[in-house]
Amino acid sequence: MYFFSCPSSLVTLIACYVPFLALLSELVAASPSKSGFRRATTCNGSPDLCDRSFGNVTFVGTHDSYAVGVNNLAANQDYNISQQLKDGVRMLQVQVHNQSGTLELCHTSCLLYDGGPFSAYLETVKSWLDANPNEVLSILVVNSDGFPPTAYDSLYKSVGLDTVSYAPPSASMPASQWPTLGTLIDSGTPLITFMDANAEFTSVPYIISEFTNVWETPYDVTTTFDCSVNRTDGDPSTQMYLINHFLDEMLLGQPVPDPGQANETNAVSGPNSLGAQVELCVSEYGRSPNFMLVDFYEYGGGSVFEVAAAANGITYSPTTPVA
């Protein structure tokens, strides 16, 4: 508590209240969520995005972000998540399996590809968020073996991610009602976690049900990408949406990643390119996708980020080359 006792003469009165006004200004600045004061002047690399609703921004995401490897049919990425985040990826998709009671990052089966415990992955995410306070990041969890949200809550708390996670006011929100990137940053909750199955708003509100808030296009595409609604538990006309833009090829009757086509698949333009799918979706729905999941994101030399910049109406001007 602060107390001030000032004399009654006008000159001394003004002089007395100068430090009080300075202190008041500091207190207001320290409470951005209550005052509306914005600390963040650049959000996700652009000042133009700070006033933009999360539901009105396009983010590059990595499909099976943890599945990193060379000459491995189960690998979808060439670089680990630290490099992915450094390059500009802002949605990390993971697939979580039950490995003897541990939440493990595996691709279809832990025998096929074991990416290690989810807890270690989350520690890397927490370190990156701490070092990059002006960035909003999403995690999309494919809850393959149906863990309850409380199991994820325990992991998030163990690494300190629960305190930086955004909890919406309701289990479902239309795209237009999500907070701005600046608000998420200023309130200290820049992490948004979606889960495809078993989310429970009443028990763990920051583990957000994906399909009541986001719809998806078809996945495991081996021919041509389209913009049809493949999975949703809500109203696609008002929900955010995600396009699955990773091309597979068939091997022994199973779809596997196709890095041989990745330069064309991730391109800004051309047949079956990421840019072409975004343009198609905009023509059908009148708005850009919120999330674009890709494999081998660095193929195209940054083209996936160029597509995102165009969708967001900002200039693509990287300060460093993509890995």
Side-chain angles (χ1 to χ4, degrees):
M1 183 67 69
Y2 298 91
F3 296 94
F4 288 86
S5 178
C6 294
S8 58
S9 68
L10 180 59
V11 174
T12 53
L13 185 64
I14 293 175
C16 177
Y17 274 101
V18 167
F20 170 74
L21 293 175
L23 174 62
L24 181 61
S25 177
E26 292 176 5
L27 292 174
V28 169
S31 304
S33 61
K34 295 181 179 179
S35 67
F37 176 86
R38 168 157 297 149
R39 292 191 303 266
T41 57
T42 299
C43 302
N44 284 41
S46 173
D48 296 330
L49 295 181
C50 288
D51 290 322
R52 192 85 62 83
S53 164
F54 178 81
N56 188 30
V57 178
T58 297
F59 302 92
V60 174
T62 40
H63 170 235
D64 289 331
S65 60
Y66 59 93
V68 177
V70 179
N71 297 324
N72 186 331
L73 292 177
N76 298 89
Q77 308 298 333
D78 292 322
Y79 294 98
N80 63 30
I81 62 166
S82 294
Q83 187 66 50
Q84 292 174 29
L85 293 169
K86 180 180 179 181
D87 284 339
V89 170
R90 291 298 177 266
M91 169 176 266
L92 300 170
Q93 190 239 30
V94 297
Q95 191 179 130
V96 179
H97 290 255
N98 187 342
Q99 179 77 327
S100 301
T102 299
L103 280 74
E104 197 85 357
L105 297 174
C106 302
H107 194 173
T108 306
S109 164
C110 294
L111 294 175
L112 178 64
Y113 185 98
D114 190 338
F118 192 28
S119 57
Y121 182 100
L122 293 177
E123 288 174 356
T124 301
V125 170
K126 179 60 164 62
S127 296
W128 184 84
L129 285 172
D130 289 344
N132 296 272
N134 288 327
E135 303 289 331
V136 172
L137 175 66
S138 301
I139 296 177
L140 173 55
V141 177
V142 177
N143 190 18
S144 300
D145 288 336
F147 279 102
T150 50
Y152 292 93
D153 182 41
S154 297
L155 281 191
Y156 273 53
K157 286 177 177 175
S158 70
V159 300
L161 281 177
D162 60 312
T163 60
V164 298
S165 294
Y166 173 70
S170 59
S172 175
M173 292 198 302
S176 61
Q177 291 185 11
W178 284 78
T180 65
L181 299 195
T183 298
L184 290 166
I185 291 168
D186 291 349
S187 62
T189 55
L191 179 62
I192 297 179
T193 299
F194 297 102
M195 193 162 70
D196 71 331
N198 286 21
E200 294 176 358
F201 179 76
T202 54
S203 61
V204 187
Y206 68 82
I207 302 294
I208 302 166
S209 170
E210 179 193 6
F211 292 120
T212 58
N213 292 281
V214 182
W215 63 265
E216 289 193 15
T217 64
Y219 60 101
D220 284 343
V221 173
T222 58
T223 53
T224 304
F225 297 102
D226 64 43
C227 297
S228 60
V229 179
N230 179 260
R231 289 176 293 173
T232 184
D233 292 329
D235 180 357
S237 69
T238 60
Q239 289 178 303
M240 295 184 287
Y241 74 101
L242 177 153
I243 60 173
N244 289 295
H245 193 86
F246 42 92
L247 191 65
D248 292 335
E249 58 183 338
M250 299 303 293
L251 181 66
L252 300 177
Q254 296 296 321
V256 297
D258 186 1
Q261 298 294 319
N263 277 324
E264 291 77 18
T265 303
N266 292 348
V268 173
S269 60
N272 232 26
S273 66
L274 178 62
Q277 187 181 9
V278 170
E279 289 182 2
L280 176 63
C281 294
V282 171
S283 71
E284 293 186 9
Y285 302 109
R287 55 194 175 103
S288 297
N290 299 91
F291 313 102
M292 308 182 301
L293 280 190
V294 300
D295 282 344
F296 311 109
Y297 74 95
E298 82 283 1
Y299 277 67
S303 54
V304 296
F305 303 110
E306 187 173 351
V307 172
N312 289 323
I314 61 177
T315 302
Y316 177 66
S317 54
T319 55
T320 57
V322 172

